[in-house]
Amino acid sequence: MSIDSRWFSTMFGWYTFAGLFVSGLATMCMIVLYLKRKGYMQHVNPSHLQDVGKFMFAFSIFWTYLWFSQFMLIWYANLPEEVVYFQVRWEEFQNIMGY
């Protein structure tokens, strides 16, 4: 979870699952493309790869939905003990972007 021991989330498991699933699909797609280029997977056609891309996009949207749901819940409930998680990440983003 987070390094901050006071932060907790009931959606963290789903959020982590969605992120890992998207990463797994991307890795699988890259391996299939590599093997297809080497001549081992001739039965894979562009339609298969497009379906994997659609599935990856769908889980990316699900992943974003979970992040926003968690953010909205913390913001709407005004939970100061959970705001720390987003505050640290927002400040790092501002430092990187130069705001």
Side-chain angles (χ1 to χ4, degrees):
M1 286 180 68
S2 179
I3 295 175
D4 185 8
S5 61
R6 296 169 292 167
W7 183 81
F8 61 93
S9 172
T10 56
M11 288 188 271
F12 186 78
W14 287 103
Y15 178 74
T16 303
F17 165 75
L20 291 173
F21 196 78
V22 169
S23 299
L25 283 172
T27 303
M28 180 191 69
C29 189
M30 291 177 67
I31 290 170
V32 166
L33 285 171
Y34 175 76
L35 291 175
K36 182 173 172 56
R37 189 169 292 156
K38 293 291 184 181
Y40 293 111
M41 300 189 87
Q42 295 303 320
H43 62 281
V44 175
N45 59 33
S47 178
H48 293 124
L49 296 174
Q50 186 178 18
D51 289 343
V52 171
K54 289 177 189 176
F55 203 47
M56 198 166 26
F57 179 70
F59 263 89
S60 296
I61 297 298
F62 177 64
W63 189 20
T64 305
Y65 169 74
L66 289 173
W67 183 88
F68 186 74
S69 297
Q70 182 172 311
F71 174 76
M72 185 63 103
L73 178 67
I74 291 171
W75 175 74
Y76 189 71
N78 197 17
L79 302 171
E81 64 272 4
E82 292 190 28
V83 171
V84 175
Y85 177 81
F86 290 103
Q87 239 175 358
V88 170
R89 282 147 185 85
W90 183 253
E91 288 170 2
E92 288 177 14
F93 173 75
Q94 286 179 336
N95 291 338
I96 291 171
M97 298 304 287
Y99 293 134

